[in-house]
Amino acid sequence: LTPIRLSAERMRKRFLENHPELPQIIEKGTATIIEEVDSLMNIIGEFSRFARLPETKLEPGDLNLKISNCTDFFNAHENVHFHLSLDENLPSMMFDKTLIRQVMINLFQNAIDSMGGAGNIWIKTSFDREKMLVRISIKDDGAGIREEDLPKIFDPTFSSKEHGTGLGLAIVEKIVFEHKGRIRCNSRPHQGAEFIIELPVLVKEDSDGKVSCGLN
């Protein structure tokens, strides 16, 4: 809002002064206002989508296949290399294919941004039979995250990007929570970042709303 206010005040002041360059001042000022309003509309849209994510629709699927397919969206990044280590013994499980796709794409894009468009992304899946959890690890060799920023990265108001809304990781966390899972991040500056997602296997909800987990 600050650039909008300053532009409006400047135009008003120059108008009252009957400034000789008033047309140019108005043209420049209104261009700034339009640009900033567009930016605000984009931010509002992001918050709106965050507030009303689609209802989670769980269905059985191959999580490894979904992750592998998501990497295909980034084939145009010739300098980004994906390294997949997907557990062949991963059981079939219940998840929302659309929302998990969004989680993967958000995390991949964050990693690519952190690496400046060139680097490596390691993706690993594993199954913890004792805890009935599937783990997904997404690690990059990008700029990493400052220690003081780590507790804030999932906050919807926090962003380390110059033009970021801060909603990307907040949406990721919300989707993981909707799957009764959890997500955490390990990172150090200049040593990349690793996001670890844990999802219960085959999440089921009965008519009473109780959640249970089990193998196929």
Side-chain angles (χ1 to χ4, degrees):
L1 290 173
T2 300
I4 294 174
R5 180 181 180 88
L6 292 175
S7 295
E9 288 177 345
R10 183 167 185 261
M11 287 190 294
R12 182 174 185 273
K13 180 180 179 182
R14 297 310 185 205
F15 172 74
L16 294 175
E17 294 174 350
N18 196 22
H19 197 282
E21 296 181 359
L22 185 61
Q24 293 91 331
I25 293 171
I26 290 177
E27 181 180 2
K28 184 176 180 180
T30 52
T32 298
I33 290 172
I34 292 170
E35 180 181 352
E36 295 302 325
V37 169
D38 286 343
S39 177
L40 284 173
M41 290 176 67
N42 178 58
I43 292 172
I44 291 170
E46 289 290 323
F47 270 97
S48 178
R49 285 189 287 274
F50 171 68
R52 51 180 176 81
L53 281 174
E55 181 181 352
T56 304
K57 297 178 181 178
L58 300 177
E59 54 183 328
D62 185 336
L63 187 60
N64 281 340
L65 180 61
K66 172 56 64 176
I67 293 172
S68 179
N69 288 343
C70 287
T71 65
D72 294 339
F73 288 102
F74 298 89
N75 285 338
H77 292 274
E78 297 180 357
N79 296 319
V80 174
H81 306 287
F82 287 91
H83 307 275
L84 301 180
S85 177
L86 306 179
D87 188 348
E88 295 180 356
N89 297 317
L90 217 64
S92 174
M93 58 186 297
M94 304 287 287
F95 61 93
D96 186 306
K97 294 179 174 63
T98 299
L99 293 180
I100 290 298
R101 171 182 173 273
Q102 184 171 356
V103 166
M104 294 299 117
I105 289 177
N106 280 11
L107 290 177
F108 295 164
Q109 188 60 59
N110 270 9
I112 291 171
D113 291 343
S114 174
M115 299 184 303
N120 298 279
I121 299 175
W122 293 270
I123 305 165
K124 180 180 179 180
T125 59
S126 60
F127 174 47
D128 187 329
R129 181 175 290 274
E130 182 179 346
K131 295 183 178 180
M132 298 296 288
L133 293 173
V134 165
R135 289 192 180 89
I136 308 167
S137 166
I138 300 172
K139 185 177 181 181
D140 64 68
D141 55 5
I145 302 169
R146 296 184 304 175
E147 184 178 355
E148 60 266 31
D149 289 340
L150 273 175
K152 302 179 288 186
I153 59 173
F154 295 109
D155 293 347
T157 56
F158 174 78
S159 176
S160 60
K161 300 177 184 178
E162 184 178 352
H163 301 292
T165 62
L167 288 175
L169 288 178
I171 289 173
V172 165
E173 184 185 53
K174 186 171 183 179
I175 292 173
V176 171
F177 284 174
E178 288 292 323
H179 283 76
K180 314 301 179 187
R182 62 179 184 173
I183 182 172
R184 65 183 188 275
C185 177
N186 300 320
S187 181
R188 290 183 179 180
H190 312 298
Q191 295 185 27
E194 179 185 21
F195 286 88
I196 300 169
I197 299 171
E198 294 182 338
L199 298 174
V201 175
L202 281 180
V203 178
K204 296 180 180 180
E205 189 168 329
D206 60 23
S207 57
D208 296 325
K210 294 181 179 179
V211 174
S212 60
C213 307
L215 284 171
N216 221 353

